[in-house]
Amino acid sequence: MNLLLISHAPAVRNGASGIRDQDRPLTRNGRLRFRRAARGLARLAGRPDVLLTSPFTRARATADIAAAAFKRVTPKIEPALGQDDVDVLVIALKKFRPDSTVALVGHEPTLSGLLAHLLGMHQADDRFAFKKGGAALVHLPDGPSVPGQLRWFVKPRILRDLGSQ
């Protein structure tokens, strides 16, 4: 299994205008910048078999932009991505074929915690903190329950550069 982890694009700040956390939309600039980053992500990663997203508004919007760049993939809401529980997320990933590429659009610190777990680390490491719109690819030859190999970890700036070419 290949697991593509994508942090949602920049959203309006928490507590702004009385908007609940789960309802925070992407900023205009966040949408524009992630469109370029998503093109770069599609060039780098190819099209996933499955695109899962947190139920939160900002993640769903990011997944929609990524889906347009990937082409022929429809985002599906995965409730486990809205929780801060890596174990629940690993259980959810076990239902996918071992030869599939699964993309996840989620939030920090859950994504960095998941990445640390997938690499066999017992706690998150600041080196793996995702920037908004950043991504990582992990190869899991034995599935999500056994440590895998980090293929790449890319900042959004690099994805945007790839998407502009």
Side-chain angles (χ1 to χ4, degrees):
M1 175 182 287
N2 285 310
L3 191 60
L4 177 61
L5 307 173
I6 307 165
S7 177
H8 69 76
V12 295
R13 64 179 178 74
N14 197 8
S17 308
I19 300 171
R20 295 182 318 163
D21 180 49
Q22 60 265 34
D23 297 330
R24 291 189 295 131
L26 298 181
T27 63
R28 181 179 180 280
N29 193 40
R31 283 190 309 276
L32 293 171
R33 292 176 75 157
F34 190 71
R35 279 191 190 106
R36 273 192 313 169
R39 287 193 300 269
L41 187 58
R43 286 184 69 192
L44 185 60
R47 183 175 54 86
D49 299 302
V50 179
L51 175 58
L52 304 175
T53 180
S54 155
F56 291 14
T57 300
R58 58 194 179 275
R60 288 192 341 256
T62 301
D64 288 341
I65 294 168
F70 289 136
K71 299 180 177 38
R72 297 185 313 275
V73 65
T74 302
K76 296 177 182 150
I77 292 176
E78 173 51 63
L81 283 163
Q83 302 175 31
D84 190 15
D85 189 332
V86 169
D87 294 328
V88 171
L89 198 44
V90 169
I91 291 168
L93 291 171
K94 289 180 182 179
K95 65 184 172 190
F96 297 100
R97 291 186 340 260
D99 64 339
S100 62
T101 297
V102 179
L104 306 176
V105 178
H107 313 273
E108 276 296 283
T110 306
L111 287 180
S112 57
L114 177 61
L115 181 56
H117 175 83
L118 294 172
L119 298 177
M121 301 165 70
H122 295 290
Q123 57 185 338
D125 187 318
D126 287 344
R127 291 175 295 176
F128 296 122
F130 285 79
K131 298 238 183 236
K132 303 288 188 229
L137 182 69
V138 180
H139 179 60
L140 301 165
D142 299 313
S145 296
V146 179
Q149 304 157 346
L150 179 63
R151 297 296 176 148
W152 46 258
F153 185 85
V154 183
K155 293 181 179 180
R157 177 184 50 79
I158 294 170
L159 293 174
R160 288 192 304 271
D161 288 347
L162 286 171
S164 296
Q165 295 176 3

